[in-house]
Amino acid sequence: MAKKILVLVGAGLSAGSGIPTFRTDDGDWQAGMDLQSALQINEHMGRPKARKIVWDWLRSADFSHREPTIAHEALARLDEAGSLLGVLTQNIDSPEQEAGVSPLKVWQVHGSAGETVCDRCEHERPTREILDALYGQREWSWTGGKTLAEVDAHVLHCQQWNAKKSKPCGCVIKPCVVFYGEGIDRKAWSNARSALFYADELWCVGTSLEVHPAADLPRMAVSLGKTVRVVSTGVVNIEGVKPAAWEKVTATADDAAPKLVDMVLESGGD
């Protein structure tokens, strides 16, 4: 029987496609207090300036136009071979699916940047529509001659009609990503925890293991007697796990993932 693999991934998995990592020395988190503050849910919901900072960041990251990397394609091969239990991703893009991994096996614990939702009526729209409205040659774009407050009220507040109140909803819309101060996607976390019981190995690819609860998975895996392999070019933080209990592969995701997949497929589960 082929080995079953559960994969935890971070920003390093997508680095090969040009998406910036978040917590490295040159990552977005280090860009300044403005973004760090704007990604706090209370700040985002309460301040038009914070919302503009977040949308400027989403535009610069341009998640929707990134191609899958060699590492993503390797995971798709693992899925095709029947050895992939699932991918718990801390990323808000989804190139795993574009590479061919089943959408049912991609669990986005921090949400997805592909959709935007109203915080009150939960009406969803593609994020691309909001970006086009804010940055395209439109009347209500940031550069269309309107003030920040006017653009914010027209584009970043829900215009879905509320028949009961006979007016637009009017609540703030936000990308379907988990902001600081919000809870994680519980279903994604539950799927990963359940899959861990059936896994032979846990691979942690392109993550510093700094953000919980995802960072708890290696400790949980070791306690269950699973093999843990960590792929990273930097420092990783595995709290409460002795070095002898896990293996670190110091390499990029694009270099390491295909080799790990080949190892599993060639072994046939031995």
Side-chain angles (χ1 to χ4, degrees), residues 158-172:
C158 182
Q159 303 301 311
Q160 186 74 0
W161 188 255
N162 186 321
K164 186 176 181 179
K165 296 184 178 180
S166 298
K167 63 179 182 179
C169 171
C171 190
V172 173

PDB file of all heavy atoms in Angstrom, residues 158-172:
ATOM      1  N   CYS A 158     -21.025  47.352   0.926  1.00  0.00           N
ATOM      2  CA  CYS A 158     -21.904  46.468   0.158  1.00  0.00           C
ATOM      3  C   CYS A 158     -23.063  47.236  -0.492  1.00  0.00           C
ATOM      4  O   CYS A 158     -23.805  47.952   0.199  1.00  0.00           O
ATOM      5  CB  CYS A 158     -22.444  45.366   1.061  1.00  0.00           C
ATOM      6  SG  CYS A 158     -23.505  44.176   0.226  1.00  0.00           S
ATOM      7  N   GLN A 159     -23.213  47.061  -1.811  1.00  0.00           N
ATOM      8  CA  GLN A 159     -24.291  47.709  -2.550  1.00  0.00           C
ATOM      9  C   GLN A 159     -25.456  46.759  -2.825  1.00  0.00           C
ATOM     10  O   GLN A 159     -26.381  47.106  -3.555  1.00  0.00           O
ATOM     11  CB  GLN A 159     -23.747  48.263  -3.876  1.00  0.00           C
ATOM     12  CG  GLN A 159     -22.585  49.230  -3.722  1.00  0.00           C
ATOM     13  CD  GLN A 159     -22.949  50.444  -2.875  1.00  0.00           C
ATOM     14  OE1 GLN A 159     -23.981  51.080  -3.093  1.00  0.00           O
ATOM     15  NE2 GLN A 159     -22.106  50.767  -1.895  1.00  0.00           N
ATOM     16  N   GLN A 160     -25.390  45.552  -2.245  1.00  0.00           N
ATOM     17  CA  GLN A 160     -26.472  44.593  -2.426  1.00  0.00           C
ATOM     18  C   GLN A 160     -27.772  45.150  -1.843  1.00  0.00           C
ATOM     19  O   GLN A 160     -27.804  45.634  -0.723  1.00  0.00           O
ATOM     20  CB  GLN A 160     -26.123  43.263  -1.745  1.00  0.00           C
ATOM     21  CG  GLN A 160     -27.121  42.149  -1.983  1.00  0.00           C
ATOM     22  CD  GLN A 160     -27.031  41.575  -3.378  1.00  0.00           C
ATOM     23  OE1 GLN A 160     -26.216  42.010  -4.191  1.00  0.00           O
ATOM     24  NE2 GLN A 160     -27.850  40.571  -3.661  1.00  0.00           N
ATOM     25  N   TRP A 161     -28.843  45.072  -2.635  1.00  0.00           N
ATOM     26  CA  TRP A 161     -30.103  45.691  -2.214  1.00  0.00           C
ATOM     27  C   TRP A 161     -30.744  44.904  -1.084  1.00  0.00           C
ATOM     28  O   TRP A 161     -30.862  43.681  -1.130  1.00  0.00           O
ATOM     29  CB  TRP A 161     -31.064  45.763  -3.391  1.00  0.00           C
ATOM     30  CG  TRP A 161     -32.312  46.545  -3.092  1.00  0.00           C
ATOM     31  CD1 TRP A 161     -33.564  46.058  -2.859  1.00  0.00           C
ATOM     32  CD2 TRP A 161     -32.418  47.967  -2.993  1.00  0.00           C
ATOM     33  NE1 TRP A 161     -34.446  47.079  -2.614  1.00  0.00           N
ATOM     34  CE2 TRP A 161     -33.771  48.266  -2.692  1.00  0.00           C
ATOM     35  CE3 TRP A 161     -31.503  49.009  -3.118  1.00  0.00           C
ATOM     36  CZ2 TRP A 161     -34.225  49.572  -2.525  1.00  0.00           C
ATOM     37  CZ3 TRP A 161     -31.949  50.311  -2.965  1.00  0.00           C
ATOM     38  CH2 TRP A 161     -33.296  50.581  -2.660  1.00  0.00           C
ATOM     39  N   ASN A 162     -31.128  45.622  -0.043  1.00  0.00           N
ATOM     40  CA  ASN A 162     -31.847  45.039   1.088  1.00  0.00           C
ATOM     41  C   ASN A 162     -33.324  45.381   0.919  1.00  0.00           C
ATOM     42  O   ASN A 162     -33.756  46.503   1.182  1.00  0.00           O
ATOM     43  CB  ASN A 162     -31.314  45.597   2.411  1.00  0.00           C
ATOM     44  CG  ASN A 162     -31.927  44.923   3.628  1.00  0.00           C
ATOM     45  OD1 ASN A 162     -33.115  44.612   3.657  1.00  0.00           O
ATOM     46  ND2 ASN A 162     -31.100  44.711   4.648  1.00  0.00           N
ATOM     47  N   ALA A 163     -34.103  44.394   0.432  1.00  0.00           N
ATOM     48  CA  ALA A 163     -35.508  44.648   0.128  1.00  0.00           C
ATOM     49  C   ALA A 163     -36.297  45.008   1.385  1.00  0.00           C
ATOM     50  O   ALA A 163     -37.225  45.827   1.339  1.00  0.00           O
ATOM     51  CB  ALA A 163     -36.128  43.424  -0.541  1.00  0.00           C
ATOM     52  N   LYS A 164     -35.933  44.415   2.511  1.00  0.00           N
ATOM     53  CA  LYS A 164     -36.654  44.665   3.754  1.00  0.00           C
ATOM     54  C   LYS A 164     -36.515  46.116   4.186  1.00  0.00           C
ATOM     55  O   LYS A 164     -37.471  46.743   4.665  1.00  0.00           O
ATOM     56  CB  LYS A 164     -36.142  43.726   4.840  1.00  0.00           C
ATOM     57  CG  LYS A 164     -36.919  43.805   6.143  1.00  0.00           C
ATOM     58  CD  LYS A 164     -36.420  42.783   7.148  1.00  0.00           C
ATOM     59  CE  LYS A 164     -37.223  42.852   8.436  1.00  0.00           C
ATOM     60  NZ  LYS A 164     -36.754  41.829   9.428  1.00  0.00           N
ATOM     61  N   LYS A 165     -35.305  46.670   3.999  1.00  0.00           N
ATOM     62  CA  LYS A 165     -35.052  48.048   4.415  1.00  0.00           C
ATOM     63  C   LYS A 165     -35.164  49.035   3.263  1.00  0.00           C
ATOM     64  O   LYS A 165     -35.011  50.240   3.451  1.00  0.00           O
ATOM     65  CB  LYS A 165     -33.665  48.147   5.064  1.00  0.00           C
ATOM     66  CG  LYS A 165     -33.543  47.343   6.350  1.00  0.00           C
ATOM     67  CD  LYS A 165     -32.187  47.559   7.002  1.00  0.00           C
ATOM     68  CE  LYS A 165     -32.074  46.802   8.329  1.00  0.00           C
ATOM     69  NZ  LYS A 165     -30.763  47.010   8.978  1.00  0.00           N
ATOM     70  N   SER A 166     -35.361  48.503   2.049  1.00  0.00           N
ATOM     71  CA  SER A 166     -35.486  49.330   0.839  1.00  0.00           C
ATOM     72  C   SER A 166     -34.286  50.246   0.631  1.00  0.00           C
ATOM     73  O   SER A 166     -34.417  51.430   0.299  1.00  0.00           O
ATOM     74  CB  SER A 166     -36.781  50.170   0.900  1.00  0.00           C
ATOM     75  OG  SER A 166     -37.907  49.325   0.932  1.00  0.00           O
ATOM     76  N   LYS A 167     -33.104  49.682   0.831  1.00  0.00           N
ATOM     77  CA  LYS A 167     -31.869  50.413   0.590  1.00  0.00           C
ATOM     78  C   LYS A 167     -30.712  49.410   0.499  1.00  0.00           C
ATOM     79  O   LYS A 167     -30.857  48.245   0.910  1.00  0.00           O
ATOM     80  CB  LYS A 167     -31.596  51.422   1.702  1.00  0.00           C
ATOM     81  CG  LYS A 167     -31.377  50.805   3.074  1.00  0.00           C
ATOM     82  CD  LYS A 167     -31.093  51.888   4.113  1.00  0.00           C
ATOM     83  CE  LYS A 167     -30.829  51.268   5.487  1.00  0.00           C
ATOM     84  NZ  LYS A 167     -30.525  52.305   6.503  1.00  0.00           N
ATOM     85  N   PRO A 168     -29.566  49.844  -0.035  1.00  0.00           N
ATOM     86  CA  PRO A 168     -28.413  48.936  -0.080  1.00  0.00           C
ATOM     87  C   PRO A 168     -27.981  48.527   1.319  1.00  0.00           C
ATOM     88  O   PRO A 168     -28.185  49.260   2.291  1.00  0.00           O
ATOM     89  CB  PRO A 168     -27.336  49.774  -0.770  1.00  0.00           C
ATOM     90  CG  PRO A 168     -28.073  50.810  -1.526  1.00  0.00           C
ATOM     91  CD  PRO A 168     -29.299  51.118  -0.702  1.00  0.00           C
ATOM     92  N   CYS A 169     -27.361  47.357   1.418  1.00  0.00           N
ATOM     93  CA  CYS A 169     -26.907  46.837   2.712  1.00  0.00           C
ATOM     94  C   CYS A 169     -26.007  47.845   3.426  1.00  0.00           C
ATOM     95  O   CYS A 169     -26.220  48.171   4.583  1.00  0.00           O
ATOM     96  CB  CYS A 169     -26.170  45.516   2.496  1.00  0.00           C
ATOM     97  SG  CYS A 169     -25.319  44.876   3.951  1.00  0.00           S
ATOM     98  N   GLY A 170     -24.950  48.299   2.725  1.00  0.00           N
ATOM     99  CA  GLY A 170     -24.116  49.372   3.264  1.00  0.00           C
ATOM    100  C   GLY A 170     -23.013  48.964   4.210  1.00  0.00           C
ATOM    101  O   GLY A 170     -22.263  49.817   4.698  1.00  0.00           O
ATOM    102  N   CYS A 171     -22.867  47.665   4.497  1.00  0.00           N
ATOM    103  CA  CYS A 171     -21.813  47.233   5.428  1.00  0.00           C
ATOM    104  C   CYS A 171     -20.479  47.107   4.701  1.00  0.00           C
ATOM    105  O   CYS A 171     -20.417  46.985   3.476  1.00  0.00           O
ATOM    106  CB  CYS A 171     -22.203  45.901   6.058  1.00  0.00           C
ATOM    107  SG  CYS A 171     -21.135  45.403   7.435  1.00  0.00           S
ATOM    108  N   VAL A 172     -19.402  47.114   5.449  1.00  0.00           N
ATOM    109  CA  VAL A 172     -18.067  46.970   4.879  1.00  0.00           C
ATOM    110  C   VAL A 172     -17.901  45.578   4.268  1.00  0.00           C
ATOM    111  O   VAL A 172     -18.330  44.577   4.839  1.00  0.00           O
ATOM    112  CB  VAL A 172     -16.992  47.183   5.968  1.00  0.00           C
ATOM    113  CG1 VAL A 172     -15.602  46.868   5.431  1.00  0.00           C
ATOM    114  CG2 VAL A 172     -17.044  48.614   6.485  1.00  0.00           C
TER     115      VAL A 172
END
